[in-house]
Amino acid sequence: QQQVKQSPQSLIVQKGGISIINCAYENTAFDYFPWYQQFPGKGPALLIAIRPDVSEKKEGRFTISFNKSAKQFSLHIMDSQPGDSATYFCAASIKNYGQNFVFGPGTRLSVLP
Amino acid sequence: NAGVTQTPKFRVLKTGQSMTLLCAQDMNHEYMYWYRQDPGMGLRLIHYSVGEGTTAKGEVPDGYNVSRLKKQNFLLGLESAAPSQTSVYFCASSGTGRKTYEQYFGPGTRLTVT
């Protein structure tokens, strides 16, 4: 019930294309859904996050879509660039308990020039 | 403002040796965390601290100990290293209230146990 599933494991996209990464969860107590971006040799960095009271959040080329009834959320990267090549992790957390973050296994994105 | 720093960056240990990983943050954050990252498994929480002098177990605490003697520092100890502890270790910190959700990660320590 604490698991967050993520797909695909790896993704190759042409420059200018749309990258889509999907995550699914079971625990309905989760109330915060962030996405982290990690470049090789670096720590993860918070990219964008959403709470379950909205269905979509957009920041620049990055959009989270959230489907509460299906218990799914996804990251869309519009106009993907080679600089977006990284590993992306979705996560979920329970109210007021940062220590209860559960991370997905990650998606390695490669954007070809 | 360095954010979250970790020492050392790399380390190779023999089975049975001990070591301490140091994490420091300069953001005056109350919460600090230690994670391990293994291929295909995402990040798993080892131990965490909600304030100076407090620690608690996370998802995978066995074989590790921690201490938070100063607010800005969080130490992770391996008393008797095992090959299964070969991993990349990340420290993170976050504020309180709604800021608890925003975790800031260090650059990681790559540990190999032979």
Side-chain angles (χ1 to χ4, degrees):
Chain A
Q1 195 177 17
Q2 287 294 92
Q3 214 175 6
V4 173
K5 297 179 180 179
Q6 184 173 346
S7 63
Q9 274 188 320
S10 62
L11 180 62
I12 299 175
V13 174
Q14 293 287 341
K15 178 182 176 181
I18 302 174
S19 304
I20 302 174
I21 304 170
N22 301 300
C23 285
Y25 64 97
E26 288 296 325
N27 190 344
T28 55
F30 288 137
D31 70 336
Y32 178 75
F33 302 88
W35 285 89
Y36 281 82
Q37 180 188 55
Q38 184 179 29
F39 293 106
K42 305 291 185 184
L46 179 63
L47 183 64
I48 186 173
I50 197 169
R51 296 187 186 277
D53 52 346
V54 297
S55 60
E56 185 175 283
K57 183 173 181 180
K58 185 176 181 180
E59 289 185 3
R61 296 184 293 108
F62 300 91
T63 300
I64 299 179
S65 296
F66 186 80
N67 186 329
K68 190 173 182 178
S69 60
K71 292 185 282 187
Q72 295 175 347
F73 58 110
S74 59
L75 175 69
H76 295 237
I77 306 174
M78 311 300 288
D79 187 27
S80 299
Q81 299 297 312
D84 297 330
S85 297
T87 299
Y88 293 82
F89 295 94
C90 63
S93 181
I94 295 176
K95 184 184 298 184
N96 291 334
Y97 290 97
Q99 61 271 23
N100 279 342
F101 266 54
V102 179
F103 286 85
T107 296
R108 180 172 291 187
L109 171 66
S110 297
V111 181
L112 303 180
Chain B
N1 190 340
V4 179
T5 57
Q6 293 182 232
T7 310
K9 288 185 168 51
F10 303 93
R11 185 73 186 268
V12 178
L13 286 180
K14 294 186 187 302
T15 297
Q17 287 184 319
S18 64
M19 77 163 294
T20 300
L21 282 67
L22 172 64
C23 175
Q25 53 95 3
D26 61 2
M27 297 175 282
N28 200 34
H29 283 166
E30 289 293 334
Y31 286 60
M32 295 187 75
Y33 317 82
W34 275 107
Y35 291 90
R36 61 178 289 173
Q37 184 177 44
D38 302 293
M41 300 189 72
L43 291 145
R44 292 183 293 167
L45 184 65
I46 303 171
H47 286 279
Y48 64 95
S49 168
V50 299
E52 181 179 316
T54 72
T55 63
K57 295 179 180 179
E59 180 186 354
V60 289
D62 294 343
Y64 306 95
N65 56 75
V66 289
S67 64
R68 182 109 181 260
L69 299 180
K70 294 183 179 180
K71 185 177 182 179
Q72 63 268 33
N73 295 337
F74 196 28
L75 278 63
L76 177 71
L78 285 73
E79 290 186 347
S80 179
S84 61
Q85 294 178 305
T86 293
S87 187
V88 181
Y89 292 86
F90 288 99
C91 176
S93 70
S94 65
T96 54
R98 290 176 76 87
K99 293 294 185 183
T100 300
Y101 291 107
E102 298 175 13
Q103 295 194 7
Y104 294 84
F105 284 82
T109 294
R110 184 174 293 275
L111 174 66
T112 301
V113 182
T114 60

